[in-house]
Structure formats: structure tokens, C-alpha cells
Amino acid sequence: MSDYSMLELFRQEVKVQVTRLKQNFMLFEHQSPSANEIQDALHALETVHGLAQIVEVEAAVTLSEAMQSRLKIIQPEKRLDSIECDRLIQSADWLLEMSLLEDSERHNWIANHQQAIVEIQASPTTDSLTLTPDSRTRSNVSLALIDSQMMDLFRLEVEEQAKTLNQELLTLEANPTVTQPLEALMRAAHSIKGAARIVGIDAAVGLAHTMEDCFVAAQNRSLILTAELVDSLLSGVDLLQYLSQVSDQDLPNWIEHHQAAIAAVQSSIQTLRQSPAQVSDVALLPIASPPQSLNLNQLSPIQNGKELNSSDSSTQDSAPSSQRVVRVSADNLTRMMGLAGESLIEANALPAFADSLRQVRSRQIELSTTLETLEPHVNAMSDKVTQALFETVRQQEQQCRNLLSDRLSELEDFIRRTTNLSERLYQEVITSHMRPFEEGMQNFPRMVRDLARSLNKQVKLEIIGQTTSVDRDILARLEAPITHILRNAIDHGIESPETRVAAGKSAEGTIQIEAAHRGGMLAIAITDDGIGIDTQKLRQAIIARQLVAPEIAAKLSHSELMEFLFLPGFSLSEQVTELSGRGVGLDIVKSMAQEVGGTVRVTSQPGKGTGFYFQLPLTLSVVRTLLVDVAGEVYAFPLSRIDQIVTVEQSEIFTAENRQYFTFDQNNIGLIPLYQVLDLSRPTGTSERYWVVMLSDQSATYGLIVDRCLGEKELVVRPLDPRLGKVQDVSAAALMNDGSLVLILDVSDLIRSTNRLLQNTRLAKVSEPRSLQHQQNAKRVLVVDDSITVRELERKLLQNHGYVVDIAVDGMEGWNAVRSYPYDLVISDIDMPRMNGIELIKAIKQHSRFHAIPVIVVSYRDREDDRIQGLEAGADYYLTKNSFHDDTLIRAVTDLIGE
């Protein structure tokens, strides 16, 4: 067996034996170890020691010997304290860590841990292991000296283990007699205790230890976790979570400020353990009472003098335990997405190169045919030298043709492999943006349980489709809308147990959250079996708020009535409570769905319940779009925001109050030319049939006229540079397979622009003749910028105002263009490869032929020194790239060369 396989065998054996050791050491803390248990631990260490000698891992030999020495002096039937057990567990973790090190790293490991190994071999005394109150205080105050990386690990440990504690406690509350969750609860509390002891947070050590003792008692069947005890344990979990969110510098003050709350929770747990009958007395405690008395807002961590939003504290992407998780920032994922998309585009460009080589081969075949035609004439000549030269040419031509055919065949194979690899890479990056639906739902069972108890209701939450893949960005945005819906359902929807029983229902209400992929979309349904929504009461509330006239309200359909629930400030509640009644919840639900390009609707049956149904895109990284042609430019509409796509004949269009309409499903739909909304130049030509894209919001439906519909396409979303700010009517960009840029329209912004257009501008009519552009009289502008997004924005902005625009990707290409064609104006960036903007301006201004060409600098640099440098080089204007938001750039262009 090779050294490599022996080392792998050693690592696998260490992993098995360390698991065995840690199980024994955890038992030592809660019960006196027997001689057999000590012998079992020693046998595990001897196994590791023997293998370590065989593979010559001296560090493992040294540590295992130290642990054996310590175990041999442990007296059977004498319980070890928690500090001693933690030290043994830490030693076992070190064994596993050391087995994974390379040879070059083990020597340094031993040097760094020499003192700790000596301490393991030593027999600790009780005095050295007991912390006095003064030492605890000093430990808490000296947190600033603790390695910040260790504190980060502590925070991650608490974050992960708190999820286990919350989940398993709720499981035990529903089924107090089951024992399976108790082991997970004990491990979670023990892990938090060990992590807190490493960083010296004794308050967390004590609280976690109290909780762990409670779980051990339950596992030994000497205690049943009642609802009141679960309340106190959950309060302890909350305290640990809030404590872990506090910054290092603020932690001592936070612990001092909340010491009474921590002590009260510990006291509550201990009291309920020892005497469950005293529940009524414990309920009078200010902190250890059920959750409604524990004001978690007062326990929120303080950072830089401000409260830390708990929603921001979750910075780690959790995953099923079977998966290995690596932290990657959202920005890195976005960049990876862009690079994967560019790789795919480059791969798709290779076939065009192969086509050009096929053309070369065709010419080569033509050359061969020509030589065959020439051959009889050469053979008829008596000149032997000419015949020999001709034969050489024939052979060389044949060799070239064969070589080209071989290389073309190799290129085709390379293209197939590259395209396949790029597509697989692209799909993997897309998949990396997806997370299981359950990761965003972990806090809701606890929230539903606490709210239901505070209202004396019985509510069960069911989550279906937990493994459904959801875009991580959508998952994060779902938290607030679902929270509002659940709070409303518990407060208004689910009845009290008495009312439900009287109505023939079970005393326990049910709220169900279901997620699934349907029709290329993410479908989420949130339903309850409560009292439902009184449509008559809703209709009266609409009339009372004067939202519509009474005669119109009487004709509203069920779905139209439900839409009013999403209006800001609208509520059917007669009183405002901490949970609901302010009318600020459901409008957030609607806004979130629209922001991600989805929809939400609500249905209700009186006495049977209410349901909210989301239709959301599967991912924000890739969007299904409709490509349209407008004034010679290609734009993309997100398919999820389009109501209908229809063609309208000229004869179907009628005019009323100077606006054009057509009839669709017995409704009159207003027509608006999209080129006018986007402020593009008017297309040329006329037509008898028009493509119309129908969009809608809560109040109206619009028909946007486009020149052509080019079809459906999935696009990889490329966010615009944040330094550009919000570009009107545009949400993002994407690259086509040929590398060309297409802008993805922001439908919500587009509807707002349409409304402004209707209020302030006379709409063009599709039947009016369209004037031709006089290209020969237009001014020509050269745009030089290495950013494709900026180039396209400037080009479209200038073309919309009637200018002819050429582009260059860097200063050198721009300088070559200036020397090749007469331009009326040059617009240049500063930072570019090969030749920067300053060098380009100097080259133009110092040349006798071009020095009169005006130059505008448009740059991200906004310092005064940069502006002076540009103007001194010869620029006529120096603008920053936020000039796209208004007409600053167009005014400068008009000032220099006219309209």
C-alpha cells in the first residue's frame, strides 16, 4: 500500500475515533465515567497513536500520548467538571485538525500548541478551574483582547446552533414525549457553551450550560418540556442570538446592561425544572415569563450607539448538513455571472470564424480548379523548368488544402467542446444563485408559535416544497412580505379555539406555505383556514374612503375588490394593534412582487379562509424576455410583466378626445407609441398593422406600439454600473449571442413615464405620416469609451436627438477614426487602455488638421484636479457621467455644434 493511501487511511481512522472520543467526553460531563468508558476512550487513542507512528505523523503521536496520560489519571465514578470535559473535546478536535495538515505545517502546529499539550497532560486542580465572580467580570471586560476572528467564529456558531435550538424546541413542544430531538438540542447547547468559553463570554457559558442541563434531564426522562419551559428556553435562545450580534467593543456594556435578563431566564429554567407546579409564580418574573413579556426589542444589540437590525445579522448562507458551504459575496457571484455570460458569447462567436475559414477553403478549391484548367496548357509547353515549377505549385496547393481541411476539422471539434464547456459553466453559475426554499422559512415556525400564544390561539404552520430552488435574492426579499401575511392571518384570519369549535372546525388553525415551480415561474401560495374576508365589509370600506363611486363599487368583481387590499394605508381592522391594523403591510407585499418582475393576487371565501398567490421569476440572474424593435433599436420586456401581445389593424383604431384606442375583450385600450415614451427618433415608413404590447398596473391598461416583435429569449441580467444611478425606463442590460447590447426595460418605470407623457405631451398618432431622416445634413459625433454600457447610452442619447454617431473602444481606435473621417465633435472618456483620454485630446489639439474639432470629456472622475487637467489638455467641456440623468450633455453638444 502506498504512503498516500496509508495517509488517507490514517485520516479516515482519526475521523472515526475522534467521533467516538467526543461522544464519551460529552457523557463524562453529565455523568460519572465508568472504568469501561474510560478504557473505551483510551482504546480509541491507542488506535490513533499506533497509526500515527506508522505514517510518521509525530504531531499526532505527541498529542495522543498527552491525552492518554490525562485519561489514565481520571478516577472512575468521579464526575468531571465542564471545563475539563471541554478541554478533552478540544483536544479531540485538534487530533482531527492535525490529521488534515501537510508535513510542512505539522511542525509549526506543535510549536504553537506546545503549552496547551503540557496543560492537557497536567492534572488540573479545582482551584485552577473554578471561576470566581471577579474573574468572570474580568473575562467579560477583556473581550477586546480576544482575536476578532475567534469572535466571528463564535457568532457563526451561535447563528447555526440557534436554528437547531429553535426548530427542535418547537418539535418537542408539539410532541413532548419524543426523544430524537433531545440529542440535537444537547449538542447545540454544548457547542455554544464551548464556543463561548473559548472567547471568554461567561454569561453565554452559564446560560448555555443551564439549557444543556435541562435537555440532559429531559433525555434521562426526569423532566418533560412543558410549554412554559419551552417559552423560557426560547427566551434563552433569543438572548444568545442577540448577544452574538453585538460588536466586540460594545459587548461588555451589553452584557452588563442585560445581566439581569440573562439571570432571570436562567432562574426561570431552573425553577421550572425543579418545580413545574410553580409556573404561576415564575410567570410574574419580568424577564423569564412567556415570550410576550420578554421585550426582545429592549434586548436588541447595540452597535455604534444604534440598534442593529436583526434582519441584517444573518450573513451566512445556510445549507443542508449534507452540503459543504463556502461563503461567497453577492458581488463576486454577480461578477462570475458576467464572466460566464461573456465566456458563452465568445464561444458562440467561434462558429463565425469557422465560417470564414470555410470560405478560404472554397477559394482554395477554386484555385485548384483553375490550376487543373491550366495544366494542359503547361504540359503543351516544351519548357521543362516551367513544367517543374507548375508541378511544385500543384503540390503546394494540395498540401495547403489538406492542412486547411485538417485545421478546420480540429477547429470544429474545439468549438463543440468550448461551447459545451461554456454552457455548463454558465448553468453552474446560474445554479449557484439558487438556494432551497426552506432556508428563507426557518424563522417563521417560531414567529407563528409566539404570536399565536400571545393571542391565545392555536395555529399550526405547514411548509410544503422546502427543497424548491429559489433565487437567493428573491428568497431574501420574501421575508418581509410573508411576515406581513402571516401576522395578518394570525391576528385577523385564524379564529379563537372556541369560535372555531363552534363553527365546526378544529380548535387548531392551519396556515400553509407552499412553493413550487410551475410554467417556468416560482409559484408561492400562502393560505389559511380562518374566517376569510367579508366582501361586503370590504366594499363598504372602499366607498367610505371614497376610492370609487358607490355605483361602481357595486359592480366590482371579487378579484377587483381584493386588489384594494394592496393600496397603501388601506385596512379593514377596526383597531390598531402591535401586530396589524395600520394598513402598511399588504402594499409592501405588492411592491416586492413588482420589483422582482412578478405578480401577487388574493382570494378569499367567507368562513373558509384566505389565500395569497405569488407568481415570481425563478431567478433574477436570468430573465425571460420579449425582444422588440423600436426605431431601429432592440429592447427587452420581461415576459412576466406583459399582459398580452396583439396585432392591431389600422381599421381597428379609433380616436376619442385626441387619443387613439382599440377594443380588446370589450375594453378600450389606449395606444401609445413606445418610441415616444423612450424619447427615440420617429421611425420611418407606415404600416397597416401594428404590434402592441399590453401592460397594466392597478389603475389602467396601456397598449405600447412597437415596430416589430422579434421573439422570446432568456437573457443574463447585467446590472448597470451603480455610478450611472437610475437610468430612466431601464432596469438592466444584457448581451446577445453576437455580443451586441440590449437594454431590459423597467416596466414600472415605463408606466410612470407613460402617465407623465399622457399628462404633459400630445401623443403622436400611428396614422400620421412619418418624416424621413436627412442623414446627409446630420452632425457626426465620435464617442470614445472603453465601457460598452456608457458607449451605448451616449450613442442612443445622441441618436435620439438626430446626430449620427460612431464609436471607438479606446483612445488609439478613436485617434485612428479621427484621422479617417471628418467629425464635428469628439466625446471621450479619460481612463482607457492603449491611449487614455488626455493623450487623445492632446493629439487632436496639437494636429494642424484636427485642432478645431471640439472635444467633450465625460468621465467618472469628479475631482477639481481632474477637471483642470482635462481642460488644460484642450477639452471644451468636462462633464461627469451623471450628466445622463438630465440634458447637460445634450446642451453641451448643442452649444458646440448646434442641433
Side-chain angles (χ1 to χ4, degrees):
M1 185 178 291
S2 67
D3 291 340
Y4 175 80
S5 60
M6 285 296 297
L7 183 59
E8 287 301 311
L9 177 63
F10 168 70
R11 287 170 174 166
Q12 293 174 12
E13 187 65 34
V14 168
K15 185 176 181 180
V16 172
Q17 299 302 335
V18 165
T19 302
R20 178 178 168 189
L21 285 169
K22 291 173 72 173
Q23 289 175 345
N24 280 323
F25 295 157
M26 289 179 68
L27 289 174
F28 289 178
E29 183 176 0
H30 301 293
Q31 61 187 35
S32 301
S34 65
N36 289 336
E37 289 169 341
I38 295 175
Q39 189 60 39
D40 183 66
L42 284 170
H43 180 71
L45 287 171
E46 289 169 358
T47 301
V48 173
H49 182 267
L51 273 175
Q53 288 181 317
I54 293 174
V55 297
E56 298 181 351
V57 181
E58 293 300 328
V61 172
T62 303
L63 181 58
S64 60
E65 288 175 350
M67 294 177 68
Q68 289 181 71
S69 299
R70 180 68 195 94
L71 281 176
K72 288 175 181 178
I73 62 176
I74 293 178
Q75 299 179 10
E77 309 304 330
K78 182 177 180 181
R79 182 174 172 179
L80 301 181
D81 60 29
S82 60
I83 294 179
E84 178 68 6
C85 289
D86 287 343
R87 180 174 295 178
L88 288 171
I89 292 173
Q90 179 66 68
S91 303
D93 288 333
W94 283 347
L95 271 178
L96 184 60
E97 174 186 337
M98 187 189 310
S99 69
L100 301 175
L101 296 177
E102 300 299 330
D103 292 340
S104 59
E105 300 172 317
R106 294 189 187 116
H107 179 74
N108 291 336
W109 192 98
I110 283 290
N112 294 335
H113 293 77
Q114 188 64 49
Q115 184 60 35
I117 294 174
V118 172
E119 292 176 359
I120 292 171
Q121 291 172 303
S123 175
T125 63
T126 303
D127 295 338
S128 65
L129 297 178
T130 303
L131 287 177
T132 65
D134 291 340
S135 68
R136 290 191 180 99
T137 303
R138 287 193 300 273
S139 178
N140 286 334
V141 173
S142 64
L143 285 171
L145 301 177
I146 297 174
D147 188 350
S148 61
Q149 292 184 350
M150 296 300 295
M151 284 299 298
D152 289 340
L153 291 175
F154 167 72
R155 292 186 177 97
L156 293 176
E157 186 73 42
V158 173
E159 181 182 342
E160 287 302 307
Q161 301 304 336
K163 294 175 184 177
T164 300
L165 290 169
N166 276 319
Q167 180 179 346
E168 301 300 344
L169 279 171
L170 295 181
T171 301
L172 275 177
E173 184 180 35
N175 300 283
T177 58
V178 299
T179 59
Q180 292 88 345
L182 287 170
E183 185 176 352
L185 286 168
M186 189 174 68
R187 283 200 306 268
H190 188 86
S191 297
I192 292 177
K193 183 181 69 174
R197 179 168 285 123
I198 290 173
V199 295
I201 306 178
D202 295 320
V205 172
L207 180 56
H209 184 70
T210 301
M211 297 170 66
E212 185 183 12
D213 285 344
C214 186
F215 300 140
V216 172
Q219 192 178 42
N220 294 334
R221 299 185 181 277
S222 61
L223 175 69
I224 293 179
L225 297 182
T226 63
E228 290 76 13
L229 184 51
V230 170
D231 282 340
S232 296
L233 290 168
L234 288 173
S235 297
V237 177
D238 292 335
L239 281 166
L240 289 171
Q241 284 184 288
Y242 281 116
L243 183 149
S244 70
Q245 296 167 18
V246 182
S247 64
D248 296 357
Q249 60 269 27
D250 293 329
L251 188 53
N253 291 336
W254 191 95
I255 293 176
E256 183 178 357
H257 184 67
H258 295 89
Q259 191 66 49
I262 296 172
V265 170
Q266 287 183 263
S267 175
S268 171
I269 295 173
Q270 292 168 349
T271 303
L272 289 168
R273 269 192 61 195
Q274 298 167 2
S275 180
Q278 298 179 6
V279 171
S280 59
D281 297 333
V282 176
L284 299 176
L285 292 172
I287 297 299
S289 53
Q292 59 267 31
S293 299
L294 179 58
N295 189 345
L296 296 181
N297 291 329
Q298 297 177 357
L299 298 178
S300 60
I302 300 171
Q303 189 170 23
N304 299 327
K306 298 180 180 180
E307 289 188 357
L308 180 68
N309 188 339
S310 62
S311 65
D312 295 336
S313 65
S314 180
T315 57
Q316 184 180 21
D317 295 317
S318 62
S321 58
S322 60
Q323 297 182 8
R324 181 171 176 266
V325 176
V326 178
R327 282 173 159 265
V328 180
S329 70
D331 290 341
N332 282 343
L333 281 177
T334 301
R335 285 193 290 271
M336 289 168 59
M337 177 68 69
L339 292 173
E342 290 180 12
S343 173
L344 188 58
I345 288 171
E346 293 298 329
N348 290 333
L350 287 174
F353 180 70
D355 290 340
S356 65
L357 287 184
R358 292 189 189 95
Q359 293 178 358
V360 173
R361 186 174 63 178
S362 298
R363 296 294 179 87
Q364 194 108 31
I365 293 173
E366 293 176 3
L367 175 61
S368 176
T369 302
T370 303
L371 290 175
E372 289 176 358
T373 305
L374 184 61
E375 184 175 10
H377 301 282
V378 173
N379 292 334
M381 299 174 61
S382 57
D383 189 349
K384 299 297 183 181
V385 175
T386 302
Q387 292 178 354
L389 288 175
F390 180 80
E391 186 60 29
T392 302
V393 170
R394 282 292 307 273
Q395 292 175 357
Q396 291 175 345
E397 182 274 331
Q398 183 65 38
Q399 292 172 356
C400 289
R401 181 150 41 106
N402 294 338
L403 181 62
L404 182 59
S405 297
D406 293 342
R407 294 297 177 266
L408 185 57
S409 177
E410 293 173 4
L411 178 61
E412 289 171 346
D413 290 339
F414 175 75
I415 290 172
R416 281 193 294 271
R417 295 195 304 271
T418 303
T419 302
N420 178 264
L421 179 61
S422 299
E423 288 178 349
R424 285 163 48 203
L425 172 63
Y426 169 73
Q427 292 299 329
E428 285 297 325
V429 176
I430 294 291
T431 304
S432 71
H433 279 254
M434 310 298 283
R435 302 304 307 156
F437 183 65
E438 64 180 338
E439 288 191 9
M441 303 295 108
Q442 292 173 343
N443 296 328
F444 292 132
R446 168 73 187 281
M447 185 193 80
V448 169
R449 179 257 184 202
D450 290 348
L451 291 180
R453 282 180 60 81
S454 69
L455 296 173
N456 295 318
K457 295 182 179 181
Q458 298 178 21
V459 183
K460 176 177 65 175
L461 177 65
E462 297 178 351
I463 301 176
I464 301 174
Q466 297 191 43
T467 59
T468 301
S469 297
V470 183
D471 186 282
R472 64 179 66 235
D473 295 327
I474 291 179
L475 199 59
R477 297 191 192 194
L478 277 172
E479 182 177 2
I482 294 180
T483 297
H484 287 296
I485 293 173
L486 292 178
R487 290 165 74 96
N488 281 341
I490 298 170
D491 197 14
H492 302 306
I494 303 296
E495 312 95 320
S496 64
E498 299 79 10
T499 304
R500 290 181 62 85
V501 171
K505 301 180 180 180
S506 63
E508 184 180 54
T510 300
I511 301 176
Q512 188 178 89
I513 304 176
E514 181 179 4
H517 292 171
R518 294 193 183 98
M521 300 287 285
L522 172 65
I524 299 176
I526 306 172
T527 58
D528 65 67
D529 63 351
I531 196 171
I533 298 173
D534 188 338
T535 53
Q536 283 304 117
K537 183 179 179 181
L538 175 58
R539 203 182 305 269
Q540 292 168 4
I542 294 171
I543 296 172
R545 288 171 171 78
Q546 299 181 349
L547 298 175
V548 297
E551 57 273 15
I552 297 178
K555 299 178 182 178
L556 292 174
S557 65
H558 178 80
S559 60
E560 291 172 333
L561 279 172
M562 294 296 114
E563 283 296 315
F564 284 92
L565 294 172
F566 296 110
L567 293 178
F570 190 91
S571 176
L572 293 178
S573 179
E574 297 177 356
Q575 59 181 358
V576 176
T577 67
E578 292 183 1
L579 296 183
S580 59
R582 297 178 178 83
V584 294
L586 293 185
D587 64 312
I588 294 176
V589 174
K590 185 80 169 183
S591 298
M592 174 268 168
Q594 291 181 341
E595 284 174 4
V596 300
T599 60
V600 60
R601 61 184 178 89
V602 58
T603 63
S604 182
Q605 289 183 286
K608 294 187 177 180
T610 303
F612 288 82
Y613 302 90
F614 290 86
Q615 283 285 112
L616 306 174
L618 288 179
T619 175
L620 296 182
S621 306
V622 177
V623 59
R624 295 174 63 198
T625 64
L626 171 71
L627 299 181
V628 299
D629 181 14
V630 183
E633 299 287 348
V634 178
Y635 292 89
F637 280 95
L639 272 181
S640 59
R641 296 302 308 275
I642 295 176
D643 294 345
Q644 294 282 342
I645 305 167
V646 297
T647 56
V648 179
E649 301 289 341
Q650 179 69 52
S651 58
E652 298 175 325
I653 300 173
F654 62 93
T655 302
E657 296 182 353
N658 208 33
R659 282 195 59 189
Q660 291 184 314
Y661 297 86
F662 75 101
T663 302
F664 183 81
D665 284 348
Q666 300 181 348
N667 294 315
N668 293 331
I669 309 299
L671 288 170
I672 304 100
L674 183 55
Y675 78 84
Q676 194 171 8
V677 179
L678 297 177
D679 196 21
L680 302 176
S681 57
R682 190 167 191 166
T684 60
T686 59
S687 176
E688 293 299 320
R689 176 181 294 180
Y690 302 95
W691 286 96
V692 177
V693 178
M694 295 173 58
L695 311 174
S696 65
D697 61 3
Q698 292 180 350
S699 59
T701 300
Y702 306 88
L704 298 180
I705 301 172
V706 299
D707 294 344
R708 284 187 304 154
C709 287
L710 304 178
E712 179 185 334
K713 187 172 182 61
E714 285 192 348
L715 297 177
V716 181
V717 176
R718 301 289 297 273
L720 298 178
D721 193 310
R723 292 173 293 186
L724 293 175
K726 177 65 178 79
V727 179
Q728 183 174 324
D729 303 328
V730 175
S731 63
L735 292 175
M736 302 290 283
N737 291 342
D738 60 359
S740 61
L741 184 75
V742 59
L743 297 179
I744 302 173
L745 296 174
D746 183 338
V747 173
S748 298
D749 202 13
L750 200 63
I751 290 176
R752 287 190 290 269
S753 298
T754 301
N755 287 329
R756 287 194 298 268
L757 189 68
L758 293 173
Q759 294 171 5
N760 305 319
T761 309
R762 176 183 177 272
L763 290 179
K765 294 182 175 139
V766 294
S767 57
E768 293 176 346
R770 304 183 179 188
S771 59
L772 295 175
Q773 297 269 346
H774 299 288
Q775 296 288 343
Q776 63 274 19
N777 297 325
K779 302 293 178 63
R780 185 174 290 270
V781 179
L782 175 65
V783 172
V784 187
D785 201 302
D786 61 332
S787 168
I788 184 173
T789 304
V790 173
R791 286 200 309 271
E792 289 298 308
L793 285 173
E794 291 180 358
R795 181 177 68 85
K796 292 184 178 182
L797 183 62
L798 292 167
Q799 285 181 341
N800 293 344
H801 287 78
Y803 298 99
V804 177
V805 183
D806 294 335
I807 60 174
V809 300
D810 56 41
M812 182 60 70
E813 186 174 322
W815 175 236
N816 292 333
V818 168
R819 291 183 294 174
S820 304
Y821 197 93
Y823 289 100
D824 298 290
L825 174 68
V826 174
I827 300 177
S828 176
D829 188 15
I830 292 296
D831 298 313
M832 295 181 293
R834 298 209 293 173
M835 176 187 283
N836 62 38
I838 298 298
E839 295 170 342
L840 174 60
I841 296 170
K842 289 181 178 179
I844 293 173
K845 294 300 181 179
Q846 292 172 3
H847 198 282
S848 58
R849 286 176 50 202
F850 312 129
H851 66 88
I853 299 176
V855 178
I856 297 177
V857 172
V858 180
S859 173
Y860 284 124
R861 296 187 178 185
D862 55 2
R863 296 184 308 170
E864 184 63 21
D865 293 345
D866 297 324
R867 179 177 175 276
I868 292 174
Q869 183 185 19
L871 295 176
E872 287 179 347
D876 297 271
Y877 273 91
Y878 190 101
L879 306 176
T880 57
K881 291 189 177 180
N882 60 10
S883 60
F884 301 138
H885 305 306
D886 50 37
D887 57 353
T888 303
L889 176 60
I890 295 301
R891 286 204 309 268
V893 173
T894 304
D895 181 51
L896 291 174
I897 62 174
E899 296 184 357

